[in-house]
């Protein structure tokens, strides 16, 4: 029997009741949804309108072009050139590793670089473009553009990079730029600057003037609003309302690029006697009227263009390990015993202490003092010499005789008056002060050891011929020569103008030395080159440009009796790093001086043979051009550049 | 046996068509129309690739609805269990022969025709449960033994869909089934206990890493959208920005900047309500919600008016599924529910869901047309 389901009022009633309840529940839920809609669309409407704007509009930083660096005549020392590069937006690529593999098929990416890229991606987040390749050749760049549809997240870009046309020759003056580090960011607390520094491939001055004048060279960022879609792709640019970036200021230097280059070549050319010898040398030339540094050269040097690109580790290793210090600017970061080039200072100190220039001394080649012999450089001795003769022949014994009575503090005072023992505000960091020893210096040098604090007169005998503790940088020696020549406290400068603002030439105060005393040393220096003195070979055969100079040979290693027994008598027999340093200081013209110069050749054995000829050739080039007679560029006439370099990403 | 078919009388197709519930069809068509307009706008003012196909699919689905509507409700009752079991077998088969799509195995492909068993199960479960409760007396509904079959009927497909994995559909099926059991007359006491059990199961699932990482991620993101603004929460934030910036009266047709600029993912499917809300504002969105509510209330009235218990429960079951779709989807794009991938019925682009919904309303229509027909309590009614 089949029971027919006609009426079951109870369950029908329950179901109906519950159905209405369901309807009520749904109605309630809809009310909640509508309430939420009301909150979003009506109550919080303004907030979301703001957020929507932020979604759509993005402020793009327009990076400024870095200011140029030019020489006194407007020749370019540092400029900007196109840099074809690849940016990569991790967020747009499905798989970062896969994308990098694809890119490296076209443009090689080393393992080290790859690690750096992944690190950067992690640090900067998925939306910031990261530079994965720079300084591509046009060939590589066009190949990449061709493959672009298959490379998700890749953004080809034309950026700017620094270019140093003189390369090695200007390395130490200009310095170089490098990638921005976390420390750089930490030094710039304001957000605007950080934003600029974070732009992909942005470079900051790392060394030399590039670093010192970073804030002037950097320029001011511009900005432009762009409309973007959710993938960060720019779909509209608002160029009309953009604030254009302002290029950094042009830096006009006192350097003469042509002479700088020539001096670098002269320094790097080995002498006739040892044609295979690498020349680790430095030269400085100063205009004595203005203090303008015309040449500041040091060899060997690195090429700053290698550093922009991110230096390759192999090259970096070579530069670091080279005994010739290609990373050091020897004109001012190297302090050397000045040797006989200090004798002008000694002669003035002697005269100030009452020693007459006419008093003579007999030089037998050595002198007994204390408990040992002090040797003259000339074994056979110079016979009877007066002060001028002692300078002309660089007689050591003559100065030993003076030193027996001379107060070291007076010698030190004269040395400082002539520019030693101090640094100069020329915008290049790493300058050495050198050592001008006196009693106070010895006390502080041996502060922890009171027994060694007493100054012995025997030490004055070493100091007076520029040996022992005394050291000076080649730049200081050029300044010293300049002060002897002019009787004024010549102060050097390297930057003539920042932007269109010409910096005033430093005023040279009177040096406060008895003119008669100065005349003695000038005559002595003139005799060195022009009266068959120690540097007769370095005489400059230009009547209008009579060159007065002084040789210096500073001992690095004393040949011992033991060495002699082994047959090691000549300096050439020593290994390079034990040979004496060669120095030469000079100025010209002898009457009415205009230029001073110093040359150092590390381990060049003798000032007369290694440094003198180089100085003569450099001064010949200076004399032939006479840069001081030519009108320098007026920085106010430089075309105002505000060209923008715009970076997408 | 024909003498046993009670009471009602056989009607011709023509007469049945005159009994179609026209207001319901108008409401559904208006909703689908909103979908076409929004899809047209989403494609930046183009009939391609979505709007035209959406419209054509609706027309086809409407024909199916009407076709199903004229089939007598007793036939649907006869087919209830078969449909349920076919869907269940298909679900069991999916892991072995299914197509993997986006990490989940949900589809069965047969002769170029794609078939998603979990969608069929949405109809199958409703029919199966309605059929089951049709045979119970009121006092049996809350009896423990009689609760075992529906628990299995719900649990089996929910478990199978969950391991596909498709958390959204699994929850939807479970909720539909449980609510339908409640409507069928489950006692309040048991209902409350069931709710407690559900919460405990949810906690257990979370606790014992029962969920896939992305599922857990979605739920955690839902609980705190600011957690990860560029990941899961990013989409929700973008959705809220689009809706919120739409304001009271919207940005206007085809003027929705956020959606046009592609800040939203899956705009044409899961997030289509956002686009509608951005362009037509609060007024438009509430209007659309009102249309949905009208459909739901119409459905409930049809269900309540049905003479047979099967028809009543089947109609309510369809209404429950439909309501859950709307509530979860709109809640999801506004941050009231986790982003679980539930489309907005008839507006979101997608053929399978449209077919499921319209087939469901086909049964509703059948119940309405045959509302005076009663059917036997047991199975042998033919």
């Amino acid at each position: 029997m089949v029971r027919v389901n006609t009426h079951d009022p109870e369950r029908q009633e329950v179901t109906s009741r519950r159905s209405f309840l369901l309807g009520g529940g749904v109605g309630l839920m809809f009310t909640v949804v509508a309430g939420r809609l009301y909150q979003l669309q009506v109550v919080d409407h303004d907030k979301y309108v703001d957020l929507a704007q932020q979604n759509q509009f993005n402020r793009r930083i327009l990076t400024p072009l870095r200011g140029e660096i030019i020489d006194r005549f407007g020749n370019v020392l540092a400029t900007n050139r196109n840099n074809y590069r690849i940016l990569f937006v991790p967020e747009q690529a499905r798989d970062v590793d896969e994308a990098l593999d694809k890119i490296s098929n076209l443009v090689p990416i080393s393992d080290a670089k790859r690690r750096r890229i992944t690190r950067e991606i992690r640090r900067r987040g998925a939306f910031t473009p990261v530079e994965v390749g720079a300084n591509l050749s046009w060939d590589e760049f066009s190949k990449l553009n061709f493959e672009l549809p298959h490379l998700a997240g890749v953004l080809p870009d034309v950026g700017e990079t620094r270019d140093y046309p003189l390369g090695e020759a200007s390395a130490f003056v200009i310095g170089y730029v490098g990638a921005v580090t976390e420390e750089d960011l930490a030094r710039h607390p304001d957000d605007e600057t950080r934003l600029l520094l974070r732009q992909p491939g942005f470079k900051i001055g790392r060394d030399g003037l590039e670093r010192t004048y970073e804030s002037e060279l950097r320029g001011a960022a511009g900005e432009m609003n762009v409309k973007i879609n959710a993938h960060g792709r720019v779909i509209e640019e608002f160029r009309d309302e953009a604030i254009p970036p302002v290029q950094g200021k042009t830096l006009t230097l006192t350097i003469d690029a042509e002479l700088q280059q020539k001096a670098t070549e002269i320094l790097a050319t080995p002498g006739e006697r040892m044609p295979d010898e690498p020349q680790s040398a430095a030269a400085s030339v100063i205009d004595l009227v203005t203090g303008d540094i015309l040449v500041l050269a040091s060899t060997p040097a690195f090429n700053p263009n290698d550093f922009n690109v991110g230096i390759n580790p192999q090259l970096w290793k070579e530069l670091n390990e080279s005994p010739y210090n290609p990373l050091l600017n020897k004109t001012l970061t190297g302090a050397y015993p000045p040797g006989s080039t200090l004798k002008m200072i000694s002669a003035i100190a002697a005269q100030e202490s009452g020693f007459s220039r006419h008093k003579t001394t007999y030089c037998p080649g050595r002198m007994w003092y204390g408990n040992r012999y002090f040797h003259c450089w000339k074994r056979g001795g110079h016979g009877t010499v007066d002060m001028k003769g002692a300078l002309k022949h660089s007689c050591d014994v003559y100065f030993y005789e003076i030193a027996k009575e001379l107060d070291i503090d007076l010698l030190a005072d004269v040395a400082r008056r002539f520019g030693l023992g101090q640094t100069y505000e020329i915008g290049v960091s790493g300058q050495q002060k050198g050592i001008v020893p006196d009693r106070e210096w010895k006390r502080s040098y041996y502060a922890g050891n009171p027994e060694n604090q007493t100054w012995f007169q025997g030490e004055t005998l070493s100091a007076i011929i520029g040996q022992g503790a005394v050291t000076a940088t080649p730049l200081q020696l050029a300044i010293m020569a300049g002060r002897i020549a002019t009787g004024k406290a010549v102060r050097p400068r390297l930057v003539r103008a920042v932007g269109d603002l010409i910096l005033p030439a430093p005023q040279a105060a009177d040096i406060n030395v008895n003119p008669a005393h100065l005349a003695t040393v000038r005559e002595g220096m003139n005799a060195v080159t022009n009266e068959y003195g120690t540097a007769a070979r370095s005489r400059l055969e230009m009547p209008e440009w009579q060159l007065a100079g002084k040789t210096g040979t500073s001992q690095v290693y004393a040949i011992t009796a033991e060495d002699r027994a082994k047959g090691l008598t000549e300096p050439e027999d020593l290994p390079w790093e034990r040979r004496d340093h060669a120095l030469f200081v000079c100025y010209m013209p002898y009457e009415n001086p205009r230029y001073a110069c110093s040359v150092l050749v590390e381990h060049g054995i003798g000032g007369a043979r290694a440094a003198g000829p180089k100085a003569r050739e450099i001064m010949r080039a200076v004399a032939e051009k006479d840069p001081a007679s030519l009108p320098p560029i007026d920085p106010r006439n430089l075309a105002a550049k505000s060209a923008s370099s715009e970076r997408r990403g | 046996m024909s003498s046993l078919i009670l009471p009602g009388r056989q009607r011709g197709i023509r007469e049945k068509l005159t009994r179609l519930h026209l207001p319901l069809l108008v409401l559904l068509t208006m909703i689908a129309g909103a979908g076409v307009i929004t899809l047209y706008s989403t494609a930046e003012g183009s009939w391609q690739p979505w709007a035209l196909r959406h419209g054509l699919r609706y027309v086809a689905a409407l024909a199916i609805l009407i076709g199903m509507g004229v089939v007598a409700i007793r036939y649907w009752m006869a087919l209830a269990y078969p449909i349920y079991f076919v869907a269940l077998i298909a679900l069991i088969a999916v892991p072995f022969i299914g197509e993997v799509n986006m990490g989940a195995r949900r589809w069965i492909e047969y002769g170029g025709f794609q078939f998603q068993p979990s969608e069929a199960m949405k109809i199958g479960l409703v029919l199966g449960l309605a059929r089951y409760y049709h045979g119970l007396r009121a006092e049996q509904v809350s009896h423990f033994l009689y609760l075992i079959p529906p628990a299995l009927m719900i649990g089996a497909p929910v478990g199978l869909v969950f391991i596909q994995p498709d958390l959204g559909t699994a929850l939807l099926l479970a909720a539909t089934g449980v609510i339908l059991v409640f409507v069928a007359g489950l006692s309040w006491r048991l209902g409350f206990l069931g709710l407690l059990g559900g919460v405990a199961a949810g906690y257990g699932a979370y606790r014992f890493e029962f969920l896939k990482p992305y599922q857990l991620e979605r739920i955690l993101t839902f609980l705190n959208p600011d957690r990860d603004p560029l990941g899961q929460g990013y989409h929700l934030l973008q959705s809220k920005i689009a809706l919120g910036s739409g304001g009271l009266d919207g940005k206007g047709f085809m003027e929705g900047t956020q959606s046009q600029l592609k800040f939203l993912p899956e705009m044409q499917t899961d997030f289509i309500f956002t686009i509608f809300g951005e362009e037509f504002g609060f007024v438009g969105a509430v209007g659309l919600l009102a249309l949905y509510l009208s459909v739901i209330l119409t459905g409930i009235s049809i269900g309540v008016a049905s003479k047979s218990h099967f028809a009543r429960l089947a109609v309510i079951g369809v209404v429950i599924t439909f309501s859950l779709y709307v509530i979860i989807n709109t809640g999801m794009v506004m941050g009231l529910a986790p982003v679980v991938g539930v489309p907005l019925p008839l507006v979101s682009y997608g053929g399978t869901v449209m077919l499921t919904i319209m087939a469901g309303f086909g049964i509703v229509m059948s119940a309405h047309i045959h509302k005076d027909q009663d059917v036997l309590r047991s199975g042998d009614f033919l």
Side-chain angles (χ1 to χ4, degrees), chain B residues 68-381:
Chain B
M68 288 173 72
V70 296
V71 175
I73 193 69
R74 59 200 159 92
Y75 290 110
W76 289 118
M77 181 162 138
L79 286 170
Y81 282 145
I83 289 174
Y84 175 83
F85 282 110
V86 167
L88 189 67
I89 288 162
L91 268 182
I92 293 167
V94 164
F96 305 107
I97 60 169
E99 299 289 314
V100 177
N101 191 338
M102 297 183 59
R105 214 179 269 271
R106 296 173 188 173
W107 300 83
I108 287 178
E109 193 154 339
Y110 183 75
F113 181 74
Q114 275 188 340
F115 169 65
Q116 207 173 344
S118 59
E119 285 298 318
M121 184 48 89
K122 285 171 187 164
I123 302 290
L125 182 63
V126 164
L127 289 177
L129 286 173
R131 173 70 190 84
Y132 174 76
Y133 281 105
H134 180 83
L136 292 193
R137 288 192 304 278
E139 63 274 19
Q140 289 171 319
V141 170
S142 294
H143 191 283
F144 176 71
L145 280 178
Y146 290 99
L147 269 174
I148 294 172
L152 290 174
M153 281 172 77
I154 297 168
V158 166
L160 287 167
V161 172
F162 181 78
I163 61 171
Q164 280 182 356
D166 184 352
L167 180 65
T169 306
L171 286 175
L172 199 79
L173 282 173
T176 304
V178 169
I179 295 171
L180 192 54
V181 169
F182 174 74
V183 173
L186 189 70
S187 74
W188 281 101
R189 199 162 48 85
L190 280 173
F192 182 71
L193 281 175
L195 194 67
L196 264 182
V199 171
Y203 178 73
Y206 166 70
R207 195 57 212 270
F208 299 107
E209 295 168 8
F210 201 51
L211 296 170
K212 298 255 173 192
Y214 80 91
Q215 293 174 333
L216 190 63
E217 192 64 30
R218 281 175 170 179
I219 292 172
L220 291 178
T221 301
F222 162 67
L223 294 174
N224 180 12
D226 301 326
R227 213 168 74 92
D228 170 26
L230 294 183
Q232 291 291 329
Y234 175 76
H235 296 154
L236 180 54
L237 182 66
Q238 294 303 333
S239 172
K240 280 156 73 178
I241 290 172
L243 277 171
S245 62
L248 186 67
D249 48 4
K251 294 177 184 167
F253 181 51
M254 307 237 311
E255 300 293 326
T257 55
Q258 299 307 298
S259 30
Q260 303 288 354
L261 293 174
K262 320 265 181 286
F263 282 102
L264 289 169
E266 304 288 316
M267 308 176 286
Q268 77 280 15
T269 58
D270 293 356
F271 283 89
I272 196 151
F273 185 68
T274 305
I275 295 168
F276 187 85
E278 187 189 10
E279 299 195 348
F280 299 103
F282 180 69
V283 174
V286 168
L288 185 60
L289 286 176
L291 287 178
Y292 278 117
L293 193 60
S294 306
V295 169
I296 290 161
L297 296 179
T298 305
I300 290 174
S301 73
I302 290 171
V304 170
S306 294
K307 198 159 188 182
S308 77
H309 199 54
F310 168 77
R312 205 175 294 140
L313 288 175
V315 168
I316 297 300
V318 170
V319 169
I320 291 168
T321 307
F322 186 76
S323 308
L324 286 172
Y325 266 121
V326 178
I327 291 163
I328 293 176
N329 178 274
T330 53
M332 171 179 101
V333 301
M334 287 186 281
L336 290 173
V339 178
V340 285
V342 170
L344 188 64
L346 303 183
V347 177
S348 289
Y349 180 77
T352 316
V353 177
M354 163 112 53
L355 196 63
T356 309
I357 297 292
M358 293 299 271
F361 280 104
I363 290 162
V364 172
M365 193 57 79
S366 167
H368 174 71
I369 290 170
H370 309 94
K371 63 180 175 187
D372 302 331
Q373 286 188 3
D374 203 348
V375 267
L376 299 178
R377 168 160 282 184
S378 62
D380 52 346
F381 47 84

Side-chain angles (χ1 to χ4, degrees), chain A residues 50-64:
Chain A
D50 282 353
L51 285 171
Q53 295 277 326
Q54 284 173 29
N55 250 351
Q56 290 173 65
F57 299 102
N58 199 329
R59 203 178 60 129
R60 285 292 147 106
I61 294 291
L62 304 176
T63 50

Side-chain angles (χ1 to χ4, degrees), chain A residues 342 345-346 348-350 352-353 369 399 402-417 435-443 453-471:
Chain A
L342 192 76
I345 304 295
S346 310
I348 286 168
E352 289 193 357
S353 71
Y369 185 80
F399 285 97
I402 295 169
K404 286 200 271 185
E405 303 295 328
L406 189 66
D407 181 0
I408 186 64
D409 289 351
L410 175 64
L411 183 65
D413 176 53
V414 176
R416 286 191 204 100
R417 266 188 271 160
I435 297 167
V436 177
D438 56 11
R439 291 192 175 82
E440 176 55 37
W441 170 81
K442 200 169 181 191
R443 261 196 299 279
Q453 288 179 0
T454 320
W455 182 269
F456 296 105
Q457 203 61 25
E459 295 174 272
T460 310
L461 268 69
S462 285
I464 203 164
I465 60 160
Q467 295 286 159
V470 57
T471 57

